[in-house]
Amino acid sequence: KQEVTQIPAALSVPEGENLVLNCSFTDSAIYNLQWFRQDPGKGLTSLLLIQSSQREQTSGRLNASLDKSSGRSTLYIAASQPGDSATYLCAVTGANSKLTFGKGITLSVRP
Amino acid sequence: GAVVSQHPSRVICKSGTSVKIECRSLDFQATTMFWYRQFPKQSLMLMATSNEGSKATYEQGVEKDKFLINHASLTLSTLTVTSAHPEDSSFYICSARVIQNTGELFFGEGSRLTVL
């Protein structure tokens, strides 16, 4: 059974700092990995999708990497802003096409 | 990205009544939609996979008769919580994959259900 872990559960950083959010998964047989953002009481916004054959994806200040063999992914946020404050979830799509989520990392960027 | 719309965003109902939540893919067709449930400060739990034109596939522990799913068209799936109880109060989110897509999932805004 696939398990996705995101540690720490919460993170607080000053504005302008570059930061890395970590995600690990137990079963490397995945189709892809997605990073999502969730604001309080809202749905999920897809940030980046990395296919199993890819190593990284970039969008603006965000860069996500994938090391499938070691079961790890990182989301790098450059020059963090207060508007980046949210919960960030990673999820992997397994061979059964189902998505398994981590519990998320709640990020707070202090002005 | 593709847009998935959920309605209603918030609903309050009395115990024993039924509530229907709609999930629509606005600019694409989706043969498969997924329904999730999220408790406070917890991750999303997959409840069922909704398949257009056929029966939904439920995850272990999810009551089929309690959570009725209908996927009558390529752009609409509905979740009906029947005979709702306070413990059904939760945040329900649907998602869909674009046909012939590489597998990216797009999510609705979620529906907050409160059962009194």
Side-chain angles (χ1 to χ4, degrees), chain A residues 34 38 46 51 98 101-102, chain B residues 38 43 59 102 104-105 109:
Chain A
Q34 261 182 278
Q38 185 176 30
S46 179
Q51 299 297 337
K98 294 179 182 178
F101 281 87
Chain B
Q38 187 178 35
S43 188
E59 295 301 299
T102 52
E104 186 171 7
L105 270 177
E109 281 293 304

Side-chain angles (χ1 to χ4, degrees), chain A residues 24-43:
Chain A
S24 62
F25 48 95
T26 55
D27 186 351
S28 61
I30 63 170
Y31 281 136
N32 58 50
L33 182 145
Q34 261 182 278
W35 281 92
F36 296 90
R37 168 181 173 144
Q38 185 176 30
D39 292 290
K42 300 293 185 181

Side-chain angles (χ1 to χ4, degrees), chain B residues 73-94:
Chain B
S73 76
L74 286 170
T75 59
L76 174 64
S77 175
T78 60
L79 168 68
T80 301
V81 183
T82 63
S83 188
H85 290 121
E87 57 265 31
D88 298 325
S89 299
S90 189
F91 193 57
Y92 294 87
I93 311 176
C94 71

Side-chain angles (χ1 to χ4, degrees), chain A residues 31-32 34 36 38 41-49 51 89-90 93 97-104, chain B residues 34 36 38 41-44 46 49 57 59 91 93 97 101-110 112:
Chain A
Y31 281 136
N32 58 50
Q34 261 182 278
F36 296 90
Q38 185 176 30
K42 300 293 185 181
L44 276 66
T45 300
S46 179
L47 297 174
L48 289 164
L49 168 71
Q51 299 297 337
L89 299 110
C90 77
T93 300
S97 297
K98 294 179 182 178
L99 213 62
T100 303
F101 281 87
K103 290 187 176 181
Chain B
F34 303 89
Y36 293 84
Q38 187 178 35
K41 297 188 177 181
Q42 295 294 316
S43 188
L44 281 75
L46 179 64
T49 301
T57 305
E59 295 301 299
F91 193 57
I93 311 176
R97 275 203 177 96
N101 186 262
T102 52
E104 186 171 7
L105 270 177
F106 296 94
F107 282 78
E109 281 293 304
R112 170 73 60 190

Side-chain angles (χ1 to χ4, degrees), chain B residues 8-62:
Chain B
S9 58
R10 293 178 177 273
V11 57
I12 301 173
C13 69
K14 293 181 179 180
S15 190
T17 61
S18 295
V19 174
K20 180 184 287 188
I21 301 171
E22 292 185 346
C23 178
R24 293 181 184 274
S25 56
L26 297 186
D27 51 359
F28 66 100
Q29 294 180 323
T31 56
T32 303
M33 291 185 176
F34 303 89
W35 286 96
Y36 293 84
R37 183 173 180 175
Q38 187 178 35
F39 292 102
K41 297 188 177 181
Q42 295 294 316
S43 188
L44 281 75
M45 180 191 78
L46 179 64
M47 299 175 63
T49 301
S50 172
N51 304 296
E52 188 269 333
S54 64
K55 292 182 180 180
T57 305
Y58 290 81
E59 295 301 299
Q60 192 173 11
V62 178

Side-chain angles (χ1 to χ4, degrees), chain A residues 6 9 19 22 34 43 50 57 63 99-100 103:
Chain A
Q6 292 183 256
L19 58 104
N22 294 305
Q34 261 182 278
I50 310 177
Q57 284 289 325
N63 175 278
L99 213 62
T100 303
K103 290 187 176 181

